[in-house]
Amino acid sequence: RVDAQAAAGPAQQELNGDLLYQLLAGEFAGSRGDMDTAAQFYVEAAGNTDDPKVAARAAHIALFAEHYEEALDAIDRWQDLSPDASDEIARVRVLAMLHLGEVDAAVEQLAPMLLQEGKLNDTAISALSHILQKEADPEVAVSVLRKLDAMYPQRPRLMLLRARYEVNASQLDVAQGLVDGVIAIQPETSDAWLIKAQILAAQQNEDAAIEAVSKAVGLRSDDDQLRLQYARMLVQRKDYTHAWQQ
């Protein structure tokens, strides 16, 4: 989410008439923690000046206040006034779209952000995971990931991220198909085996779940916490010999 201090901070622009009043009122409201009123005045101010800093501030304040429609108005104004800031604007627009549940519009903004020299960027996918976790309802997040997965098929990191959300959506068969696909492409992906184990456990297939965890342990032999988890599973099955080896 947008930082409160950054959202309520002063912007530099020409100060006159209604604009001066709107900015001062917005600043005073923000300093009191009344972000609803701050957003109202700043969005109005953005329409009364050609300073892109005011529009940018208005967009951030409106986002922080959870006034997403008003945020889009400010973002559109910001785009008109500062087309060179398109990358930053796109990132802010995505947040508003996600909160509004505008899946297609969010995907349109997100898709090019994931690419570097025409290829999916692992760092960008990690950032996507963070954004979806913080900014999107689970139903919106899984819908976004389904569309991105269709646009960029057979990309293991994206498939794995989608699989996690499919599990949370109780779409276990879909999730299993995704992790099996990842394992077929990159069998050394330990997270795929762990998600597979989670799916199998949910399907009451305990033997196969433990086998999947065993695969993950073999790939992450230095992960003491994972080995301890595996040992506990073995103890529950009274397999003390193998548990002790962990």
Side-chain angles (χ1 to χ4, degrees):
R1 291 187 183 276
V2 180
D3 181 80
Q5 183 177 359
Q12 297 178 353
Q13 66 286 308
E14 70 281 3
L15 301 177
N16 55 73
D18 290 343
L19 177 61
L20 176 59
Y21 170 75
Q22 289 161 346
L23 291 172
L24 287 175
E27 292 298 330
F28 284 135
S31 68
R32 296 194 309 269
D34 183 358
M35 301 308 293
D36 290 335
T37 301
Q40 175 187 341
F41 280 115
Y42 247 101
V43 171
E44 289 176 0
N48 289 331
T49 178
D50 290 336
D51 188 342
K53 295 185 183 70
V54 177
R57 187 70 64 194
H60 285 90
I61 291 173
L63 275 177
F64 185 81
E66 300 182 2
H67 292 193
Y68 303 118
E69 295 286 0
E70 290 87 344
L72 287 177
D73 290 340
I75 291 166
D76 289 340
R77 180 67 173 160
W78 183 11
Q79 180 78 64
D80 291 341
L81 296 173
S82 187
D84 292 340
S86 57
D87 288 347
E88 182 182 359
I89 291 168
R91 287 193 290 270
V92 177
R93 191 184 295 277
V94 163
L95 301 184
M97 293 298 187
L98 288 173
H99 282 288
L100 288 168
E102 298 287 348
V103 172
D104 289 340
V107 169
E108 182 180 354
Q109 298 293 323
L110 281 167
M113 295 181 189
L114 300 180
L115 298 177
Q116 184 176 35
E117 298 180 354
K119 296 182 179 180
L120 278 187
N121 182 277
D122 286 349
T123 301
I125 293 176
S126 296
L128 172 64
S129 175
H130 180 72
I131 289 170
L132 292 178
Q133 183 177 0
K134 288 189 65 177
E135 307 290 347
D137 289 337
E139 297 83 359
V140 172
V142 75
S143 295
V144 166
L145 289 169
R146 286 167 183 167
K147 287 183 176 292
L148 289 172
D149 188 33
M151 293 175 68
Y152 305 120
Q154 300 300 303
R155 310 298 175 91
R157 287 292 297 274
L158 189 56
M159 294 165 69
L160 210 56
L161 181 57
R162 180 186 166 193
R164 290 192 177 98
Y165 277 88
E166 296 287 4
V167 169
N168 292 337
S170 298
Q171 298 297 317
L172 298 182
D173 290 342
V174 174
Q176 184 161 345
L178 288 164
V179 294
D180 285 344
V182 172
I183 290 168
I185 299 169
Q186 294 180 345
E188 72 283 359
T189 306
S190 59
D191 282 350
W193 289 104
L194 289 174
I195 297 173
K196 185 178 179 70
Q198 182 182 358
I199 295 166
L200 292 167
Q203 295 171 334
Q204 307 299 315
N205 192 342
E206 295 184 4
D207 290 340
I210 287 179
E211 183 179 350
V213 174
S214 175
K215 292 277 190 181
V217 169
L219 293 165
R220 282 163 48 176
S221 57
D222 58 344
D223 188 333
D224 292 338
Q225 187 170 357
L226 178 58
R227 298 185 75 88
L228 181 59
Q229 178 185 350
Y230 179 46
R232 286 172 177 163
M233 293 176 70
L234 293 171
V235 167
Q236 289 176 351
R237 295 177 60 81
K238 302 186 185 305
D239 187 349
Y240 302 116
T241 301
H242 289 100
W244 179 255
Q245 291 174 356
Q246 301 305 315

